[in-house]
Amino acid sequence: MVDMHNVRTFNADMRFKAGYLNELEKMLEKVLPHAMLKAKPNLESKIRTLKRDWVIVYDMLSGKNNSDFGWDEYRQVVVVEDAVWNSYIN
């Protein structure tokens, strides 16, 4: 998806243009020929999950009243004290 974004073939402002899932399916078929991943439902479902998870992490790092959250560059994880975490999930 990063390659598709950088090439700008399927870029349309903040989203991908129609048909990007089929192109992504072709790209994956070249790299993983026997995986048999299909644009719908496999790739579409995974992208929906990634978007949902991204919104949660973005909110932790940039949202209001969430200044105690940080990012550990080495481990690639969100870091926060236990008390703040427990308050956030409640």
Side-chain angles (χ1 to χ4, degrees):
M1 289 186 69
V2 172
D3 290 342
M4 290 173 70
H5 175 77
N6 290 338
V7 172
R8 300 189 187 277
T9 306
F10 287 91
N11 260 5
D13 296 322
M14 298 300 289
R15 313 191 102 183
F16 284 102
K17 291 180 185 175
Y20 82 97
L21 283 175
N22 293 328
E23 184 64 24
L24 191 57
E25 183 180 311
K26 291 175 190 174
M27 292 169 72
L28 281 172
E29 180 63 29
K30 289 178 186 175
V31 178
L32 304 168
H34 301 292
M36 298 178 59
L37 293 172
K38 297 297 177 194
K40 292 184 180 188
N42 303 113
L43 299 177
E44 190 175 53
S45 173
K46 182 56 82 173
I47 290 169
R48 192 172 26 255
T49 301
L50 287 171
K51 284 180 181 180
R52 186 192 68 227
D53 293 348
W54 171 251
V55 168
I56 293 168
V57 172
Y58 182 83
D59 180 56
M60 284 181 191
L61 297 174
S62 302
K64 294 180 180 180
N65 302 320
N66 291 342
S67 61
D68 294 329
F69 287 89
W71 181 255
D72 183 335
E73 194 66 42
Y74 179 71
R75 296 183 300 162
Q76 300 289 302
V77 295
V78 174
V79 292
V80 68
E81 294 180 18
D82 289 341
V84 175
W85 176 251
N86 291 333
S87 174
Y88 180 80
I89 60 173
N90 287 332

